Amino acid sequence: MSAPAVPDLLALDRAAQDLLFRAARTANTFTDEPVTDAQVAAIHDLIRYGPTAYNGQPLRILLLRSPESRARLLPYVSNANRAKTASAPLLAVLAADVDFHERLPELYPHRPQARDWLADRATRVEQARFNATLQIGYLLVGVRAAGLAAGPMAGFDAAGVTREFFPDGRHEALLLLSVGHPGPDAWHDRLPRLEATEVISVR
Amino acid sequence: MSAPAVPDLLALDRAAQDLLFRAARTANTFTDEPVTDAQVAAIHDLIRYGPTAYNGQPLRILLLRSPESRARLLPYVSNANRAKTASAPLLAVLAADVDFHERLPELYPHRPQARDWLADRATRVEQARFNATLQIGYLLVGVRAAGLAAGPMAGFDAAGVTREFFPDGRHEALLLLSVGHPGPDAWHDRLPRLEATEVISVR
């Protein structure tokens, strides 16, 4: 009797495995088909259940819908990413709310003093970045769950985007995200992935 | 005609939505049922396809299987997390490989000079942390995809764990993770989540 295939060791069915990970790809081109606010809300309604420390949920999502907002973003994007940024049906700035702790008495009601543990801004910035980044991981999965392709872009001037779009000083831009339906020649061949033996060690 | 229900706006079927997000919970207690190496390998085989910058894949997973290794971890865990850490069937230290750039000529072959862009250690540490944290987001989803409960724990002395388990100086501990089947009274009521209007803004 042979061992079960690796995908069959999971509870998640194969179609969902393909949709979210195995067949999903980062798109470099998109069709003109729009991404609606209802789709974005549905993605958020799914991924908001992902865990964060103190249930703090520091991720904030700024959708750049107007031509003016998109034009303001482009100077901060690296040359390599500028064309695909300009052509994406939906463009978002993903940011961390550095003052997420203000909501903790409501979000983490059994330990309302958690807000005071985060009184120090440097501690809070680190926590906000870490947990918002976890949530970006959930969000990329959520975009794929909506049948859409996500294009995360780290090649941009994050400090510049923070100044341009979050002059309140309470947000930090972490990543740009383009979302849409994949267009022609949306991707190259899949790049190699590390094997379990290269990633996992046991002690 | 009424609008479709929010979950039906997604391509992912409802059972998978529940398994990964809506019904999934962070477990505080576990049964004795073990988590096998084959299950861990199957989770990795799924989530390794998640995107990272330069395809760098900096996440490293250290499984603490021996009683000695688990005992070495406990002094670094906060009092609040110690009991559940000690009782978890599987305990992992999730870390970033700060020298992930060494593999880029192989992982990102069309731009082998990416390795040299990351020659500066401070830049690299930031990239390693950010992308490994994204991968932890995928990993938490992957644990749930295996029908298991994940218990991410940020309440620990990360610098101490890094020194204790990664004296090579090339890894940074980011999060502890307990994995298993939920035990009795594994969780309290679901904590409140932010609404889309509180998280998403449009410009």
Side-chain angles (χ1 to χ4, degrees):
Chain A
M1 201 178 86
S2 64
V6 166
D8 296 332
L9 291 173
L10 300 175
L12 188 71
D13 65 86
R14 283 203 185 206
Q17 292 180 36
D18 287 343
L19 179 69
L20 301 182
F21 288 104
R22 294 189 200 280
R25 300 294 307 278
T26 295
N28 292 311
T29 70
F30 295 98
T31 69
D32 290 339
E33 196 177 335
V35 177
T36 66
D37 287 344
Q39 283 176 302
V40 176
I43 292 167
H44 172 261
D45 185 70
L46 179 71
I47 64 115
R48 66 178 176 155
Y49 295 107
T52 52
Y54 310 118
N55 192 38
Q57 308 168 59
L59 178 66
R60 299 292 178 269
I61 301 170
L62 173 61
L63 306 180
L64 302 181
R65 290 280 196 193
S66 73
E68 294 74 21
S69 295
R70 296 173 66 113
R72 280 172 64 198
L73 178 69
L74 288 183
Y76 300 102
V77 177
S78 71
N79 289 334
N81 286 329
R82 202 161 292 165
K84 69 177 167 184
T85 302
S87 69
L90 180 66
L91 203 53
V93 181
L94 307 180
D97 178 356
V98 170
D99 292 341
F100 72 98
H101 69 309
E102 290 175 1
R103 301 293 300 271
L104 290 187
E106 174 195 343
L107 298 177
Y108 205 60
H110 55 294
R111 221 164 277 171
Q113 65 272 36
R115 176 174 53 185
D116 305 320
W117 298 338
L118 293 164
D120 173 58
R121 185 179 159 99
T123 307
R124 219 159 66 220
V125 167
E126 198 179 319
Q127 290 271 320
R129 278 187 195 145
F130 181 81
N131 286 287
T133 306
L134 276 185
Q135 289 185 283
I136 294 174
Y138 311 146
L139 176 63
L140 295 174
V141 172
V143 167
R144 292 164 167 195
L148 295 163
M153 289 177 292
F156 73 107
D157 172 2
V161 168
T162 295
R163 279 193 307 271
E164 180 76 31
F165 289 98
F166 306 106
D168 60 6
R170 72 174 276 171
H171 295 85
E172 274 200 17
L174 296 174
L175 196 72
L176 303 182
L177 183 66
S178 56
V179 180
H181 293 270
D185 299 319
W187 39 68
H188 308 288
D189 291 343
R190 171 79 87 180
L191 291 169
R193 292 304 195 272
L194 297 174
E195 298 299 328
T197 51
E198 299 173 291
V199 170
I200 303 168
S201 54
V202 183
R203 235 179 273 178
Chain B
M1 202 177 85
S2 62
V6 166
D8 296 331
L9 291 172
L10 300 175
L12 188 71
D13 65 84
R14 283 203 184 206
Q17 292 180 36
D18 287 343
L19 179 70
L20 302 182
F21 288 104
R22 295 189 199 280
R25 299 294 308 278
T26 295
N28 293 312
T29 71
F30 296 98
T31 69
D32 290 339
E33 195 176 338
V35 177
T36 66
D37 288 344
Q39 284 176 300
V40 176
I43 292 166
H44 173 261
D45 185 70
L46 178 70
I47 64 116
R48 67 179 175 154
Y49 295 106
T52 51
Y54 310 119
N55 192 38
Q57 308 167 60
L59 178 66
R60 299 293 178 268
I61 301 170
L62 174 62
L63 306 180
L64 303 182
R65 290 280 196 192
S66 73
E68 294 73 23
S69 295
R70 295 172 66 113
R72 281 171 65 197
L73 178 68
L74 287 182
Y76 299 103
V77 177
S78 71
N79 288 334
N81 285 330
R82 202 161 293 165
K84 70 178 168 185
T85 303
S87 69
L90 180 66
L91 203 53
V93 181
L94 307 180
D97 179 357
V98 170
D99 291 342
F100 71 97
H101 68 310
E102 290 174 2
R103 302 293 300 271
L104 291 186
E106 175 195 342
L107 298 177
Y108 205 61
H110 54 294
R111 220 165 278 169
Q113 65 271 36
R115 175 173 55 185
D116 305 321
W117 298 338
L118 293 164
D120 173 57
R121 186 180 158 100
T123 306
R124 221 160 64 220
V125 167
E126 198 178 321
Q127 290 272 319
R129 278 188 196 145
F130 182 81
N131 286 286
T133 305
L134 276 186
Q135 289 185 282
I136 293 174
Y138 312 146
L139 176 64
L140 295 175
V141 173
V143 167
R144 293 165 166 196
L148 295 163
M153 290 177 290
F156 73 106
D157 171 3
V161 168
T162 295
R163 278 192 308 270
E164 181 74 34
F165 290 98
F166 306 106
D168 59 8
R170 71 174 276 172
H171 296 85
E172 274 200 18
L174 296 175
L175 196 72
L176 302 183
L177 183 65
S178 56
V179 181
H181 293 269
D185 299 319
W187 39 69
H188 309 288
D189 290 342
R190 170 80 85 180
L191 291 169
R193 293 303 197 272
L194 297 175
E195 298 298 327
T197 51
E198 299 173 290
V199 171
I200 304 168
S201 54
V202 183
R203 237 178 274 178

